[in-house]
Amino acid sequence: SGEDFGYDGSIGPSYWGERYRECAGKHQSPININLLHVKQVSLPEITFIGFDDSIDNVHVTNNGHTVLIEVMNEPHPRVRGGPLDGDYVFSQMHFHWGDNDTFGSEDKINHRSFPMELHMVFYKEAYKTMAEAVKHSDGLTVLAFFYELDRHQHPAYDDITIALANVTEPHTSVIMDHPFSFLNILPYDLTRYFTYRGSLTTPPCSEVVIWLDFEQPIRLTHEQIEAFRELRSAHGKITHNFRPIQPIGDRVVFYNID
Ligand code: SG7
Ligand code: ZN
């Protein structure tokens, strides 16, 4: 079908540029972050608004490429500060993973892959809507978090695991049966991160994203990550849904530490 893309064969990442011109651009994501080349900075503090709220009516959707977590009630959580100019409003979060625990993240650090990556997508409030924001080079910010393996279960992910089991079929959706808090699923240290200008990692690959990759990973068990690999697309199980790294070109990655 005309709008389709995937991660393998003739609809895989190396073909995206043929149908979606921006996917062949010069400021694409993901990238490898080379720690020898990052520029150390001390940016203003990031303010996370509504991240510790207990949120009801959270929807979990299998969109055929990943699982999306969306907030239906207003006001949505938001972020400001760091490299950002103005407020950015939460749109949705989703995950990228691999066939096994040795890879699956999109960005890499010193060519190290992580088994999974969380993307929290926000649009710039000044642009009012997601549709308008994706037309501007500073339209979106994505807060990215890496996962690593732990022998102990992360209890805040139990509700996500339950929801996953109920959206294994593509284009299905459930409402979480317990309130959800952003802070509970994130790592402890939100002060150390990498930031660079890049793109959406799926078609149309728009170069509109201010990426913030937090240094401290979130720790889950193998079984907790395995639950994501049970999701299905129109073509079978979503065993992997990460785009390969793209050339960094003339870009600089900033490393924020206090
Ligand atoms: C996933 O990644 C979805 C997309 C998302 C895309 O396929 O989460 O979002 C929806 C609503 O389906 O696209 C515009 C957008 O957020 C790319 O997002 S990403 O660059 O953060 N990976
Ligand atoms: Zn993503």
Side-chain angles (χ1 to χ4, degrees), residues 168-204:
T168 53
E169 292 308 312
H171 311 292
T172 57
S173 203
V174 292
I175 301 173
M176 274 194 184
D177 45 15
H178 297 288
F180 182 85
S181 151
F182 282 24
L183 223 45
N184 281 344
I185 65 160
L186 298 183
Y188 170 76
D189 182 1
L190 298 176
T191 65
R192 293 168 70 99
Y193 58 86
F194 304 97
T195 182
Y196 76 95
R197 296 291 195 122
S199 72
L200 297 176
T201 65
T202 66

Side-chain angles (χ1 to χ4, degrees), residues 203-218:
C205 309
S206 318
E207 294 182 342
V208 298
V209 182
I210 300 169
W211 283 92
L212 273 72
D213 288 17
F214 289 83
E215 182 174 53
Q216 188 174 65
I218 305 165

Side-chain angles (χ1 to χ4, degrees), residues 121-165:
V121 183
F122 297 74
Y123 67 90
K124 189 167 178 160
E125 183 175 47
Y127 299 132
K128 295 198 166 65
T129 64
M130 188 73 185
E132 181 61 29
V134 295
K135 299 173 188 166
H136 300 267
S137 65
D138 63 347
L140 303 185
T141 186
V142 180
L143 310 188
F145 298 90
F146 299 114
Y147 289 88
E148 69 183 10
L149 284 182
D150 197 332
R151 292 162 55 241
H152 299 106
Q153 210 160 303
H154 191 321
Y157 280 76
D158 288 350
D159 291 333
I160 295 176
T161 307
I162 291 166
L164 288 175

